[in-house]
Amino acid sequence: SFEDILCLADSSSLSDITLDGNPIAQETWYKHTVLHHMMQLRQLDMKRITEEERRMASVAARKEEERRRESHKQTLLKEKKRLTICNIARQWEIQQNRTALVASLSQDKDNEPCQINGSAAYVFPEESRSLDTILSSAVQGLSVLESHLVEVEGDTLCLYGAGALECLDRNWSVQTAGIIATVSFMFIEFDEIVQVLTKLKIKFPNSLHLKFKETNLVTLQQFNALAQMHRIEQLTVDPQGNPVVNFTLWKYYVLFRLNHFNLQKINGVKVSENDIVMAERLFGILAYVASSELPHYRMLSLFGESRRKQFHYLLEGRGKKSGTGSEESSDNRRNEGESTTRATLNYMTKDFHMEKLEEIKERKTFCQTYVENLVKEAADINMKNELLQKLWPQMFIELVRDAVIEIRNKNSYMKLCLQRITDQKQ
C-alpha cells in the first residue's frame, strides 16, 4: 500500500527510488501519487523524471483531491438530507399525536392510547441511534436541521414539511419550472396543500403527476379540491399516512370527480374504460343529489360561471385564429369537460369553513339590523300618516279661515302684497 512507503516522503535528499516488482507498482495511480508526494525525486524505477511528468502528476493529484472532496461533500449532503427528513418525520409524528389527543379530549373519551392519524412514525435506516448522536458523530459542522425540505430530482419536485409550500412563491427559472412533471408532497396536511394548488398550476404548468404521502387524506370529499388543477394524468396516494386508500371505492370516486382531466394512472395502475364506466355508475347520481340540495342562487351562480367560461373560450378561439391565441386557452378548453353538477362537489377546508361561518354570521347580523331599521322607518311613516289624516280636517278649516281673513280688506291686502314684492327686490 502507499502508506507503507509514505515515510520516504519525509527524506529531502532521496533522489532515486525503484519499486518495480512490488504490487503497488501495478496500480494505475502509482506513478502520479509517488511523484506528487516526492517532488525531490530525479529517477523512478530507473527512468529519469521529466518536468511534464511532474506537471501531469500534480494535475492528476489535484483532480483526485477535488474528486475526494466532492465525494465527501455529497456524502455529507446525503446524510444531512436523511437527517432532515428524519427530523421532519419526528415533528409530523408529534403533531399527529397532539392532534389525536385534542380530538380525543374534545370527544370526552376515556384515557385510551392516542392513535396517529395515518401510519406509524416514518422509519429510516440507523434509526436506533438518537438524532443527537448521529449529528455529533457523522455530520459535525453541518448547519442546524431544517423543519422542511425542497428538492428537485430530475423532473420531480419533492416537498417535505409544511414550510416547503412557501417555495412556490420563489422566482423559479423558466427552464426549471418547465421540466417539473411530478410534484411529491410528504408530511404536509392536505388542507394546507389545497391552499396552494392554484399557485402550483401557475408555477409548474407542465406538472402531470401528483404524489401524496403522509398528508392525512381521510375522506373522499378531499379529492374534490384537486379539481382546481388544470391537468392531472397520474395520481399516486401512498397508503402511509392516507387512510382514504383503505376505502374500496376511492379510485372510482377519483375517476368520477376528475374524469375531465383524462386520468391515465392511479397508484401506478392504468385506468381502463371499464373503470370509467363503473365510476359513473357508482357515483353518477351523486352529483345530481348534491346539486338538488344547493340553494337556488348558488346554482344560478354556477351556471352563470359556466356560461361566462364558454364565452371566454369562444373569444380565445377567435383570437387564436387571428394569431393572438395563447396556450392557456387550450388548457381552459380541456377543463370545459367539468360539468356544472360535478362542480357542486367541492371541498372546503376547516379554516375556510370557519371563515365562511363568521362571514355568514356577519351578513346575518347586518341583514337583521338593516331590516329592523327599514321596519322602524316604515312604522314611523305610517304613524305620521295616520296622525296627518286625523289633523287634516281641522288644519284645512284653519287654512281657509286665515285666507278669508287675510283678503277681507282688498286694499290693505294689495298694499301688503306690493310691500312684500318691494322687500324681495331690495
Side-chain angles (χ1 to χ4, degrees):
S1 66
F2 179 73
E3 286 73 14
D4 295 336
I5 63 171
L6 189 58
C7 59
L8 298 177
D10 297 334
S11 173
S12 60
S13 61
L14 185 62
S15 62
D16 189 352
I17 184 172
T18 302
L19 298 171
D20 191 23
N22 291 283
I24 190 177
Q26 305 300 323
E27 300 292 341
T28 55
W29 46 263
Y30 157 68
K31 188 173 183 178
H32 290 160
T33 305
V34 172
L35 291 179
H36 178 67
H37 287 84
M38 304 178 190
M39 297 298 292
Q40 77 279 12
L41 286 181
R42 295 181 179 179
Q43 287 192 157
L44 177 62
D45 295 337
M46 295 178 292
K47 293 181 180 180
R48 188 171 183 82
I49 301 170
T50 64
E51 290 300 323
E52 180 64 18
E53 289 176 330
R54 293 182 190 278
R55 190 184 67 81
M56 293 298 295
S58 178
V59 172
R62 187 163 56 250
K63 287 184 178 179
E64 181 64 19
E65 182 66 21
E66 291 176 355
R67 188 192 65 80
R68 282 198 299 266
R69 288 182 180 177
E70 183 64 24
S71 177
H72 182 64
K73 180 181 178 182
Q74 293 299 325
T75 302
L76 288 179
L77 289 176
K78 287 181 180 179
E79 182 66 8
K80 183 179 179 181
K81 173 188 172 182
R82 188 187 72 81
L83 294 176
T84 301
I85 296 176
C86 180
N87 184 42
I88 295 170
R90 288 174 184 273
Q91 293 182 3
W92 173 261
E93 181 184 356
I94 293 172
Q95 178 185 351
Q96 297 308 301
N97 275 324
R98 188 183 295 114
T99 304
L101 178 61
V102 172
S104 63
L105 291 176
S106 64
Q107 295 175 4
D108 294 329
K109 290 185 177 180
D110 297 334
N111 295 328
E112 300 176 354
C114 297
Q115 296 181 352
I116 301 175
N117 189 4
S119 64
Y122 200 76
V123 180
F124 287 90
E126 303 177 12
E127 194 63 19
S128 57
R129 293 184 291 164
S130 67
L131 185 60
D132 294 335
T133 304
I134 297 175
L135 278 175
S136 60
S137 62
V139 286
Q140 290 182 354
L142 291 178
S143 60
V144 179
L145 294 179
E146 299 287 347
S147 59
H148 63 272
L149 178 65
V150 179
E151 186 179 32
V152 177
E153 295 181 350
D155 64 348
T156 303
L157 174 65
C158 300
L159 305 177
Y160 301 85
L165 297 177
E166 297 177 1
C167 78
L168 298 179
D169 294 326
R170 296 179 185 174
N171 292 325
W172 292 84
S173 66
V174 177
Q175 183 179 3
T176 303
I179 64 174
I180 298 299
T182 302
V183 182
S184 177
F185 301 94
M186 289 185 65
F187 306 111
I188 308 175
E189 285 284 348
F190 185 80
D191 284 2
E192 297 181 13
I193 298 174
V194 170
Q195 301 174 15
V196 300
L197 288 177
T198 305
K199 291 182 182 178
L200 188 67
K201 72 177 182 179
I202 295 174
K203 289 287 185 178
F204 309 105
N206 296 325
S207 58
L208 304 173
H209 187 185
L210 295 183
K211 292 183 177 180
F212 299 95
K213 186 174 184 179
E214 292 283 4
T215 55
N216 270 346
L217 269 166
V218 295
T219 64
L220 296 177
Q221 188 183 13
Q222 290 174 295
F223 288 114
N224 296 335
L226 299 181
Q228 299 179 39
M229 297 295 293
H230 70 296
R231 184 171 52 172
I232 301 177
E233 292 185 3
Q234 293 190 54
L235 179 66
T236 301
V237 182
D238 196 286
Q240 189 170 343
N242 296 307
V244 71
V245 179
N246 296 323
F247 297 162
T248 306
L249 303 178
W250 76 273
K251 290 184 180 180
Y252 291 112
Y253 183 79
V254 170
L255 281 175
F256 165 73
R257 182 61 184 88
L258 306 176
N259 68 339
H260 58 289
F261 284 156
N262 191 24
L263 278 172
Q264 298 179 6
K265 287 184 179 180
I266 298 180
N267 278 16
V269 180
K270 191 173 182 179
V271 176
S272 64
E273 291 294 333
N274 292 334
D275 293 334
I276 298 176
V277 173
M278 180 60 68
E280 190 66 32
R281 288 180 180 177
L282 288 171
F283 297 101
I285 193 65
L286 180 63
Y288 295 100
V289 173
S291 60
S292 64
E293 294 297 325
L294 278 183
H296 185 63
Y297 77 91
R298 177 62 179 152
M299 285 299 298
L300 288 178
S301 65
L302 287 175
F303 278 116
E305 182 69 13
S306 177
R307 293 292 179 86
R308 187 188 68 79
K309 287 183 178 179
Q310 290 178 7
F311 182 68
H312 177 70
Y313 300 149
L314 289 176
L315 291 180
E316 290 291 336
R318 291 176 181 175
K320 191 169 184 180
K321 289 180 181 179
S322 61
T324 59
S326 63
E327 186 177 354
E328 185 178 341
S329 64
S330 61
D331 290 337
N332 289 335
R333 281 192 290 275
R334 278 195 294 268
N335 293 342
E336 196 172 357
E338 182 179 19
S339 62
T340 307
T341 52
R342 279 189 175 84
T344 60
L345 300 172
N346 52 20
Y347 175 65
M348 189 180 298
T349 62
K350 293 180 181 179
D351 294 338
F352 187 72
H353 182 65
M354 294 303 296
E355 291 178 3
K356 275 289 184 182
L357 290 179
E358 290 295 330
E359 184 180 351
I360 291 173
K361 186 177 179 180
E362 292 178 359
R363 287 182 179 181
K364 185 177 180 180
T365 303
F366 172 77
C367 291
Q368 186 174 357
T369 305
Y370 181 71
V371 172
E372 286 177 355
N373 292 335
L374 287 178
V375 171
K376 183 179 179 181
E377 186 176 351
D380 291 342
I381 293 174
N382 185 60
M383 183 178 63
K384 291 178 181 179
N385 187 39
E386 290 180 354
L387 291 175
L388 178 63
Q389 294 298 327
K390 291 179 181 180
L391 296 175
W392 175 246
Q394 183 64 29
M395 291 173 61
F396 182 75
I397 292 174
E398 291 179 358
L399 288 173
V400 173
R401 185 192 61 190
D402 292 342
V404 171
I405 293 174
E406 191 174 14
I407 64 175
R408 180 175 52 184
N409 189 334
K410 186 176 180 181
N411 292 330
S412 60
Y413 178 69
M414 292 175 64
K415 289 180 180 180
L416 180 61
C417 291
L418 290 172
Q419 185 62 35
R420 288 177 180 174
I421 294 173
T422 305
D423 294 339
Q424 288 180 357
K425 287 183 177 180
Q426 292 177 351

